[in-house]
Amino acid sequence: MTRPETAAEVFDALGTAYEHAFRTATGQLAAITDLLAALPPAAKVLDLGAGTGRPTADLLAAAGHDVTGYDVAPKMVEIARSQVPAARFELGDMRELSFEDGTWDAITAFFSMLQLPRAEQETMLGRLAGWLKPGGTLVFATVPADVDGVDIVFMGHPVRAYSFTAGRVKELLGAAGLEVVRAEEAEFVPDHADAGPEPHVYLTARKPG
């Protein structure tokens, strides 16, 4: 079996090919649009797994929000800084980040935990809830599946994937003290020769004010 690649290795190699493959993911665009409608002016937004900066940070920054993105892949950070100069982008592993509780008006994490073991995903969701301001919003997207360390090929790259069913993610968000206010499930086919259909779930959860 080929050694699974790390997230940094995968996304350094993919670069803008990832953005191109997912550019028509209408579920992600709809989740961002709904978030934009709910944010206060000049909101502080943390984008975890920011990728190339598009579409998430780009749309949020264009609406006047204060966006900081983190990604584990140096190439993605380089591209994002070039493409979305209105936002800030830093290299970093989300598991190593630390913020005061109540720092962010909103946090987005689109498909950025799929290579984290389940226990680390549970821990991260709890930490994200703490980082939100009262009344703040988390937008979380994943591939809903009951998989715990399954080796797959993603856009031509061997990876080890971890995820939960949509129902279990909702339970974890609730256990973290968040209320799920929006959920959308969809099937999406990335525009890439080595990609097949993927189930997606987009969850918006609010921290009580």
Side-chain angles (χ1 to χ4, degrees):
M1 175 68 190
T2 304
R3 177 188 66 84
E5 296 180 20
T6 66
E9 290 171 333
V10 173
F11 291 99
D12 268 340
L14 289 176
T16 55
Y18 179 80
E19 178 185 324
H20 177 82
F22 284 80
R23 70 192 186 283
T24 59
T26 56
Q28 181 169 349
L29 294 173
I32 297 167
T33 298
D34 281 5
L35 174 62
L36 286 168
L39 286 175
K44 288 188 63 177
V45 184
L46 174 65
D47 184 20
L48 293 175
T52 67
R54 295 175 177 165
T56 307
D58 190 25
L59 292 172
L60 289 163
H65 299 298
D66 180 4
V67 183
T68 302
Y70 282 87
D71 203 279
V72 74
K75 184 64 175 178
M76 288 300 201
V77 174
E78 176 188 328
I79 294 168
R81 286 173 174 170
S82 173
Q83 293 195 146
V84 191
R88 291 182 300 279
F89 298 95
E90 303 294 342
L91 181 66
D93 185 321
M94 68 175 73
R95 295 167 294 184
E96 298 173 359
L97 300 180
S98 180
F99 302 104
E100 294 289 334
D101 283 353
T103 296
W104 303 96
D105 291 294
I107 300 172
T108 57
F110 287 100
F111 308 105
S112 52
M113 295 193 195
L114 287 163
Q115 286 179 262
L116 297 187
R118 283 173 156 184
E120 294 182 354
Q121 292 191 41
E122 291 189 44
T123 297
M124 279 306 309
L125 291 174
R127 295 181 71 204
L128 301 190
W131 294 345
L132 285 172
K133 295 179 181 179
T137 304
L138 169 66
V139 182
F140 180 76
T142 190
V143 175
D146 185 12
V147 294
D148 188 14
V150 173
D151 290 325
I152 63 171
V153 176
F154 172 72
M155 293 181 65
H157 294 266
V159 302
R160 184 159 293 155
Y162 306 83
S163 193
F164 300 99
T165 64
R168 179 58 180 151
V169 177
K170 292 176 184 177
E171 290 175 357
L172 292 172
L173 292 170
L178 303 178
E179 177 190 1
V180 176
V181 295
R182 180 185 184 276
E184 179 182 348
E185 296 192 47
E187 184 176 84
F188 179 71
V189 182
D191 186 5
H192 190 276
D194 294 316
E198 299 179 357
H200 288 174
V201 63
Y202 300 89
L203 298 165
T204 299
R206 296 257 163 78
K207 185 172 183 175

